[in-house]
Amino acid sequence: MSESDSLGHRGAANRALARFALRDLRGGLRFYGVFIACLVLGVMAIVGVDATSRAFREGLAQQGAVLLGGDLAFGRALGVPAEKEKAFLATRGRVGEVLALRAMARRADAPASTLVELKAVDSSYPLAGAVRTDPPLGAGRPFYDALALKDGAYGLFADPALAARLNVKVGDRLEIGAVQFALIGWLAGEPDSIGAIGFGPHVIVSDQALAATGLIVPGSLARLSLRLLLPPEASRDADLAAAQKAFTEAFSESGFEIRSRAEPSPQLSRNVERFAQFLSLIGLTALVCGGVGVGNSIRGLIDRKRKTLAILKALGATGGEAARFVLIQAMLVAAASAVVGAALGLALPKLLALVLGPSLPFPLAPSLDWRDGLSGMAFGLLTALAFAAAPLDRARALPVTTLLRETALGDFGPLRLRGGVVAALAAAALFGFALLISSDRMLTAQFGAAVLVSFALLYGVARAIMFFARRAPHARSLPLRLAVANLHKPGALTPSFLISLGLGVTLLTALTGVERNLRADIGESLPKESPSFFFFDIQAAQAASFHDFLRKEAPDGTIAVAPMLRGRIVKVNGVPAEEVKAGDKARWALEGDRGITFSAKVPEGSRLVDGEWWPQDYAGPPLVSMESGVAQGLNLRLGDSVTVNVLGRTLTARIANLRKVNWRSFNINFVLVFSPNAFAGAPFTSLMTLNLPERPGSTREAALLAGAAKNFPAVASVSIRETLETVDGLLGKLSVAIQSAASLAFVVSALVLSGALAAGQRARIYEAVVLKVLGATRGRLLGALALEFALLGAATAAFGLLAGTAAAALVARQVLDTSYHFFPAQAAGVALGAVVFAVVLGLAGTWRVLGEKPGRWLRED
């Protein structure tokens, strides 16, 4: 036979095999339930996260001007007047001005007071979008007009959180600074508040009202924002870039941070993308866990199709053709499952937008993008191929007589070279594809290595359990003896059980461990020397009297004082901050304004790690001390230069030394500490902290804050307790989102174990029937099964706790730069939950075994 004839014959045989597989699949699709569920859930998770991330990016692109408050926004700390900049921008389009600062709001008829994030707007506000209020403004009534002075009080809109802080309602009077305000409505939505997370509720007032409060004086810690809205005929991206370039060239030393509608919040974008990457990895973990279920499903399918495969081989089919028969069916089902999972994932952003709507903290613009669906489908198909290769290759080598036996799957030998190579190539393709489409290849590579190590360790633990169980002394108790025998018999559940459930327990332990340590590090383990309150924006003229006030009200408290200005790093070694390649842990120092100070001596809570401090009477060129971690992230050393813009003026200083700062002490700490002569004659405010012997929340806290707000209305106060409660609330919401995603791994684990139980169901029924004939009761069989699953659950819980704790400790120390503490109660809860989960699921999956009648299984077919 010629080569062409051979190829044609092989092609015809493959086509016939495919038709036979399709015909056989019509009545056997129900046997793929676990297979389908595992792939659908895994693909849905991956595609859903990718599609939601894309919807967020498109939402930013479509609503960028609304979210930013204009096409371009120019922000800096309030300093020298920006009249020239405003006039320049006015030639390009409509210009608006917003001032933001923190202030104390207090009830006019009660001593209660609270910190608020105050925003003062002019008559052009909002340039883009609209402010939604409750109750709504009358039709056609300008927003600015509602803020005007009326009956001796200016209008004020506030975040509904203010109601809980001050126990106020619409119509009540408030005092901010030297002015009374009437609360005329609640803020239901601000067009320019994306990513805005503050220490207090947001309030909006008019620029005229802010001027009357007396809060704005030289050195005030306020932030100026100029917004530009281009005319419709000149609002293309090219026009936007031209306007930004022209401003930068005209005012290169103005210190304005510029943001455009194309990227209104870079930090939020990075955070959402990183969070999406993290959730994608969790989804990929669930898909990999589901791969174990795919392998179990293929084993179960071979068991159910053993007679069909035996007939094919008896009629002359080779082992490869028999394996391809099952592979064709499996990949057809995998493709259909991947399509369903991709469709559900693509629908997720639309569902989020419909259900959650305006309550989402970021904009969504759902759209269907075939790239998200195809990438998820590729993940699903590669996962199915990688985990199906081994059982298929083992089945192809089984002789006809073995396939006809009830315990055919128990005769699997070691993995053959062909199957191992195919599985390894498919796994490598899966990992390579994940790297190719990942936005953080290092994180994905680390994840892949962790999964590989986890699989190897779990499989090693499973083999060790089987080894020791095989050599364990015979127990007198029949249920215990049967349970131990089930751990090591051919086709035992031990590897599948540990790999599937072990990854889920490890993931949940690691996530909850990191969250618990973050909360403990922020709140519960707060050092005793940490301050109870921060007081800032204290003007030089009232610093002494405010210090005396604190000393009188809290004679047993400890007071610390430091001068404070607001500035932004604009250049590093002469390179603009926007072009500096900063590490993840230091990028925040280049974004927005930072608090800076000057001192003649090393601040408390800091220690020098490199260089020397300047003399107290130093009068040379400006010097600066930088926090060592930030310096490392910016690749800075002694002698390098940093340029900051403070109060609208730029200042370049040489790095004289590096300090290690304990940020978790919550004491007065700064990234940049300058030599005193650097800001000679510049207006500045004072920052004071008060540390009370007892923790915040005592009875005198409210009285102290109320007295400070009444006697020093320009001074803003921050309670550490309230700040930590805010942070704890954010961590709680983040934890719910992460653990909800992690729970998907447990759902997949349940499916995997169901598939493993189904794969060995015939062998278990056959064994149970034999034991019943020999006199075993249903109670003893039930006890044996419960002991088996309890032993597997305990082994899985032990591994998951050890591996998850190690992972959590690594993340806490290396990524979050914090200490790690082990919480026994939490560990015990996870371990107990894993054991109960294993026993309940195992018994539910094998309950049918106990009710089978021996007669049907013992008679000849």
Side-chain angles (χ1 to χ4, degrees):
M1 181 183 292
S2 65
E3 183 177 351
S4 60
D5 292 338
S6 176
L7 292 175
H9 177 74
R10 186 178 303 173
N14 286 332
R15 287 192 295 272
L17 197 63
R19 288 195 298 271
F20 183 39
L22 279 172
R23 188 177 301 115
D24 184 74
L25 186 61
R26 295 173 187 171
L29 193 60
R30 66 183 184 278
F31 298 129
Y32 284 92
V34 173
F35 185 111
I36 293 171
C38 287
L39 285 183
V40 167
L41 285 176
V43 173
M44 180 186 70
I46 292 175
V47 174
V49 171
D50 290 344
T52 302
S53 178
R54 185 181 299 278
F56 165 74
R57 292 194 298 270
E58 293 181 357
L60 284 183
Q62 295 177 14
Q63 304 178 42
V66 174
L67 299 171
L68 190 66
D71 292 316
L72 287 169
F74 308 81
R76 75 175 185 198
L78 183 64
V80 296
E83 298 304 323
K84 293 182 180 179
E85 290 87 345
K86 288 179 63 176
F88 177 86
L89 294 175
T91 63
R92 300 271 176 168
R94 293 182 59 202
V95 180
E97 179 178 331
V98 173
L99 279 176
L101 69 156
R102 296 185 177 103
M104 298 301 293
R106 57 196 182 277
R107 290 186 54 172
D109 58 348
S113 63
T114 188
L115 181 75
V116 295
E117 304 282 345
L118 187 147
K119 180 163 66 178
V121 302
D122 62 13
S123 58
S124 67
Y125 183 84
L127 285 177
V131 182
R132 291 183 290 110
T133 63
D134 181 22
L137 291 174
R141 185 185 182 190
F143 178 76
Y144 189 77
D145 288 355
L147 304 175
L149 180 65
K150 183 179 180 181
D151 298 330
Y154 286 94
L156 176 146
F157 286 96
D159 187 284
L162 188 67
R165 296 281 187 99
L166 292 181
N167 191 25
V168 293
K169 60 184 183 299
V170 174
D172 286 349
R173 294 289 180 105
L174 301 174
E175 293 180 353
I176 300 178
V179 171
Q180 277 204 359
F181 291 86
L183 178 58
I184 56 177
W186 303 112
L187 290 171
E190 300 172 63
D192 55 346
S193 61
I194 181 171
I197 299 176
F199 293 107
H202 287 206
V203 300
I204 298 181
V205 302
S206 68
D207 52 356
Q208 296 179 355
L210 178 62
T213 61
L215 298 178
I216 300 299
V217 296
S220 293
L221 301 180
R223 181 172 176 81
L224 169 68
S225 179
L226 302 178
R227 281 85 181 274
L228 172 65
L229 185 67
L230 299 173
E233 66 275 8
S235 60
R236 298 171 302 175
D237 291 343
D239 300 318
L240 189 73
Q244 182 173 345
K245 181 180 179 181
F247 184 92
T248 303
E249 292 176 350
F251 304 100
S252 58
E253 301 296 322
S254 63
F256 277 99
E257 179 186 19
I258 306 175
R259 292 182 180 178
S260 74
R261 69 187 182 204
E263 194 173 18
S265 181
Q267 185 174 8
L268 177 63
S269 298
R270 281 196 303 272
N271 289 339
V272 170
E273 289 297 330
R274 185 168 292 276
F275 187 59
Q277 176 75 8
F278 183 65
L279 292 182
S280 294
L281 293 180
I282 292 179
L284 193 55
T285 302
L287 185 59
V288 171
C289 287
V292 181
V294 169
N296 291 334
S297 296
I298 296 299
R299 290 181 60 203
L301 180 68
I302 294 172
D303 182 40
R304 297 185 185 96
K305 299 288 185 182
R306 68 196 187 288
K307 293 183 179 180
T308 302
L309 296 176
I311 292 171
L312 284 174
K313 286 190 174 184
L315 293 176
T318 64
E321 289 173 334
R324 284 200 298 275
F325 167 78
V326 180
L327 179 63
I328 290 171
Q329 284 195 355
M331 295 313 292
L332 286 173
V333 175
S337 303
V339 169
V340 174
L344 292 174
L346 290 173
L348 182 61
K350 185 67 174 179
L351 180 64
L352 286 175
L354 289 175
V355 174
L356 300 179
S359 63
L360 287 172
F362 46 80
L364 282 182
S367 63
L368 296 180
D369 194 296
W370 58 269
R371 289 171 293 182
D372 297 326
L374 284 184
S375 65
M377 291 171 61
F379 275 124
L381 292 175
L382 288 172
T383 301
L385 181 60
F387 285 90
L392 282 173
D393 192 65
R394 283 168 169 167
R396 69 182 290 164
L398 292 178
V400 174
T401 55
T402 303
L403 285 170
L404 286 172
R405 295 213 311 260
E406 290 292 344
T407 57
L409 294 182
D411 295 327
F412 276 9
L415 180 63
R416 302 195 324 152
L417 179 62
R418 183 197 300 266
V421 170
V422 174
L425 290 176
L430 177 65
F431 180 57
F433 185 67
L435 283 177
L436 180 65
I437 67 173
S438 174
S439 60
D440 190 337
R441 290 187 171 86
M442 179 58 71
L443 180 63
T444 303
Q446 292 172 345
F447 164 81
V451 169
L452 185 62
V453 171
S454 298
F455 263 92
L457 288 175
L458 284 165
Y459 186 75
V461 171
R463 300 307 300 184
I465 292 174
M466 297 174 72
F467 176 83
F468 289 112
R470 189 177 296 113
R471 287 160 178 76
H474 289 285
R476 293 184 178 180
S477 169
L478 177 61
L480 180 59
R481 191 161 64 247
L482 290 175
V484 173
N486 285 341
L487 295 179
H488 65 80
K489 68 180 181 180
L493 289 173
T494 307
S496 295
F497 215 104
L498 263 75
I499 289 176
S500 58
L501 187 58
L503 284 177
V505 175
T506 300
L507 183 63
L508 184 62
T509 300
L511 292 175
T512 54
V514 170
E515 179 228 348
R516 189 70 180 85
N517 273 269
L518 272 176
R519 291 192 172 190
D521 189 65
I522 290 175
E524 296 175 9
S525 59
L526 192 66
K528 293 182 179 180
E529 66 273 11
S530 297
S532 307
F533 303 100
F534 274 84
F535 302 96
F536 50 90
D537 222 353
I538 306 171
Q539 302 301 318
Q542 58 182 185
S545 56
F546 188 77
H547 188 280
D548 293 340
F549 166 80
L550 292 181
R551 178 59 60 204
K552 178 182 178 182
E553 296 295 324
D556 55 344
T558 302
I559 303 172
V561 185
M564 182 175 177
L565 303 95
R566 297 289 292 182
R568 186 172 74 90
I569 299 176
V570 293
K571 291 181 181 179
V572 176
N573 282 331
V575 179
E578 295 79 9
E579 301 175 12
V580 174
K581 294 182 179 179
D584 290 340
K585 294 183 180 180
R587 184 180 289 112
W588 61 272
L590 301 180
E591 296 176 338
D593 298 331
R594 302 262 74 82
I596 59 177
T597 190
F598 54 87
S599 178
K601 60 180 182 179
V602 181
E604 294 184 12
S606 299
R607 60 180 178 87
L608 288 182
V609 294
D610 196 6
E612 297 181 356
W613 200 260
W614 43 80
Q616 291 197 8
D617 57 352
Y618 177 76
L623 301 177
V624 66
S625 173
M626 178 172 276
E627 199 275 330
S628 58
V630 174
Q632 182 180 4
L634 298 179
N635 197 26
L636 292 175
R637 298 175 177 83
L638 299 185
D640 290 343
S641 67
V642 175
T643 303
V644 297
N645 183 279
V646 180
L647 302 176
R649 294 185 172 87
T650 57
L651 171 74
T652 299
R654 180 176 61 85
I655 299 177
N657 56 72
L658 301 177
R659 292 167 294 113
K660 182 67 175 178
V661 176
N662 180 16
W663 297 108
R664 292 190 297 274
S665 70
F666 290 93
N667 284 307
I668 299 178
N669 292 311
F670 295 88
V671 172
L672 301 176
V673 179
F674 288 83
S675 56
N677 65 315
F679 297 108
F684 63 87
T685 60
S686 292
L687 171 66
M688 293 189 188
T689 62
L690 173 64
N691 182 19
L692 297 175
E694 69 272 16
R695 289 290 82 192
S698 62
T699 54
R700 60 173 171 170
E701 174 185 358
L704 191 149
L705 292 179
K710 180 179 180 181
N711 297 303
F712 301 91
V715 176
S717 308
V718 174
S719 167
I720 291 296
R721 176 181 59 82
E722 293 182 355
T723 302
L724 294 182
E725 287 175 353
T726 301
V727 175
D728 188 72
L730 292 174
L731 284 176
K733 293 178 181 178
L734 186 63
S735 173
V736 169
I738 292 177
Q739 292 189 26
S740 297
S743 65
L744 180 65
F746 267 96
V747 174
V748 174
S749 294
L751 292 171
V752 171
L753 295 181
S754 299
L757 293 168
Q761 192 79 290
R762 293 182 63 84
R764 282 181 173 268
I765 292 175
Y766 196 78
E767 292 170 0
V769 165
V770 172
L771 289 171
K772 282 185 176 182
V773 171
L774 295 176
T777 64
R778 179 176 296 190
R780 287 190 173 185
L781 292 177
L782 179 63
L785 290 173
L787 280 173
E788 176 189 355
F789 296 127
L791 290 173
L792 287 174
T796 304
F799 175 87
L801 288 179
L802 289 174
T805 299
L810 183 66
V811 171
R813 291 168 180 161
Q814 300 298 324
V815 179
L816 301 177
D817 193 24
T818 184
S819 58
Y820 180 80
H821 303 281
F822 181 70
F823 294 91
Q826 175 196 15
V830 173
L832 181 61
V835 173
V836 172
F837 182 80
V839 173
V840 171
L841 187 65
L843 291 180
T846 55
W847 191 259
R848 178 190 169 196
V849 171
L850 303 177
E852 290 294 330
K853 303 296 183 183
R856 186 170 69 88
W857 289 88
L858 292 177
R859 64 175 181 264
E860 293 290 333
D861 291 337

